[in-house]
Amino acid sequence: MTASMPTMKPQPVLERDITPEGGDYEVVRRAIEKISLDYRDQPSLEVLAEAVGETPNGLQKLFTRWAGLSPKAFLQAVTLDHARRLLDSGMPLLETSFELGMSGPGRLHDLFVTHEAMSPGDYKSRGAGLTIRYGYHISPFGIALIMVTDRGLAGLAFTDAGEERAALADMTGRWPNATYVEDMAATAPYAARIFDPAQWRSDRPLRVVMIGTDFQLRVWEALLRVPMGRACTYSDIAGQIGQPTASRAVGAAVGANPLSFVVPCHRAIGKSGALTGYHWGLTRKRAILGWEAGQLGAA
């Protein structure tokens, strides 16, 4: 008698071409990448423009429109070189975060979030019985993969054109037993709400459902308490959750955050002030921090 083979669960697929039209973020991404690689040379606007195939005036206008600050101001705000020089001079980490432009005298209201957590049993079932709807949307930071349940936003990932399937596989692999349905009509309101600061209102909070271990949930809840424009270290978070020696485990939980941008893991930095890694790319982390600095400056 031949044993039956286990039935493989069908994987979600892309049902349409979601390659974005227009290349604002791609141009900005390449400019940020150039800044990140050549920060020691403090590249001029002309050098940056030549590297990305734009005129200096065109890049200045596009970058400022996108980030709310100029390429030069962005370089001063978030380059690792600037952070290290400030720290090497003896400036405390908190003061450094202010000097970096990651805070300011006036504070824009942050992305207001109301959250709940799936039960430990729900997490251990790896999403069994859960329907997750997903869709791709253009965002200030490239293509955003948004995933929602009936209870609220469950996942937000970033990707670049041509890498959508990899992002989808990464996210669905976290809850492999869930049922996935491509449904941009369901995810579009979340995209509009998340990336438009004009819609960040305390009287209409964003509903979020967190799916993770007990430890991960505590780390992600701690991240939600980090205001826009501020930075925190992994050891800071470890102390907040009552496990001061668990910095490495905190780092792993930050890296596993499925709600990028909304649960602001991009605000977590190394003890030295280094930006450290980011699941969706260090260039994108710099882009998000710069964009936030621009929002605060505009406010």
Side-chain angles (χ1 to χ4, degrees):
M1 183 175 178
T2 303
S4 60
M5 295 296 290
T7 302
M8 298 299 292
K9 184 168 182 168
Q11 293 297 307
V13 296
L14 305 181
E15 296 180 355
R16 60 177 64 85
D17 179 11
I18 48 81
T19 302
E21 295 181 3
D24 279 10
Y25 174 71
E26 176 59 24
V27 172
V28 171
R29 184 193 66 77
R30 286 189 284 125
I32 292 171
E33 194 167 51
K34 176 72 173 175
I35 289 171
S36 302
L37 292 173
D38 297 344
Y39 61 85
R40 291 184 181 86
D41 298 330
Q42 295 289 289
S44 66
L45 178 63
E46 289 73 20
V47 169
L48 291 173
E50 182 179 1
V52 300
E54 285 280 342
T55 65
N57 187 53
L59 178 61
Q60 179 86 355
K61 288 181 177 179
L62 186 155
F63 199 105
T64 304
R65 182 177 72 248
W66 180 89
L69 71 172
S70 68
K72 181 178 180 180
F74 183 95
L75 173 64
Q76 293 172 340
V78 298
T79 60
L80 180 59
D81 178 57
H82 189 53
R84 282 179 170 163
R85 283 189 287 109
L86 291 172
L87 289 165
D88 288 345
S89 71
M91 182 177 289
L93 184 62
L94 181 61
E95 291 182 27
T96 299
S97 71
F98 274 82
E99 179 66 20
L100 286 174
M102 296 171 71
S103 189
R107 177 172 171 252
L108 182 71
H109 53 273
D110 208 343
L111 177 58
F112 294 100
V113 171
T114 179
H115 68 279
E116 61 175 305
M118 301 289 280
S119 71
D122 289 330
Y123 174 72
K124 288 178 182 177
S125 72
R126 311 298 301 278
L130 187 66
T131 296
I132 298 179
R133 301 181 183 277
Y134 68 94
Y136 295 86
H137 303 272
I138 306 308
S139 83
F141 316 110
I143 300 169
L145 168 58
I146 294 179
M147 313 182 89
V148 303
T149 71
D150 292 339
R151 295 161 64 177
L153 179 73
L156 196 166
F158 292 110
T159 187
D160 297 313
E163 299 177 2
E164 297 87 357
R165 291 183 185 276
L168 183 62
D170 177 83
M171 293 297 285
T172 58
R174 299 164 189 250
W175 316 293
N177 296 329
T179 297
Y180 292 91
V181 179
E182 187 174 3
D183 187 351
M184 290 185 65
T187 54
Y190 287 88
R193 167 76 171 78
I194 291 166
F195 298 112
D196 181 4
Q199 296 192 47
W200 296 358
R201 294 168 42 186
S202 58
D203 63 339
R204 193 165 62 88
L206 178 70
R207 291 189 302 124
V208 168
V209 58
M210 297 178 176
I211 311 173
T213 67
D214 286 342
F215 182 84
Q216 288 174 330
L217 294 174
R218 283 188 288 150
V219 170
W220 300 339
E221 287 170 346
L223 286 170
L224 281 172
R225 293 192 290 270
V226 181
M228 179 173 172
R230 297 293 181 91
C232 66
T233 66
Y234 301 121
S235 56
D236 290 336
I237 297 172
Q240 288 179 33
I241 66 173
Q243 298 196 28
T245 61
S247 295
R248 286 184 179 274
V250 165
V254 170
N257 170 32
L259 290 159
S260 182
F261 187 72
V262 173
V263 174
C265 52
H266 56 276
R267 297 175 193 161
I269 61 176
K271 190 173 184 179
S272 68
L275 295 184
T276 66
Y278 186 60
H279 190 75
W280 309 110
L282 192 54
T283 295
R284 187 170 273 111
K285 180 172 183 172
R286 288 190 174 95
I288 295 173
L289 290 171
W291 184 88
E292 289 188 339
Q295 298 301 312
L296 287 166

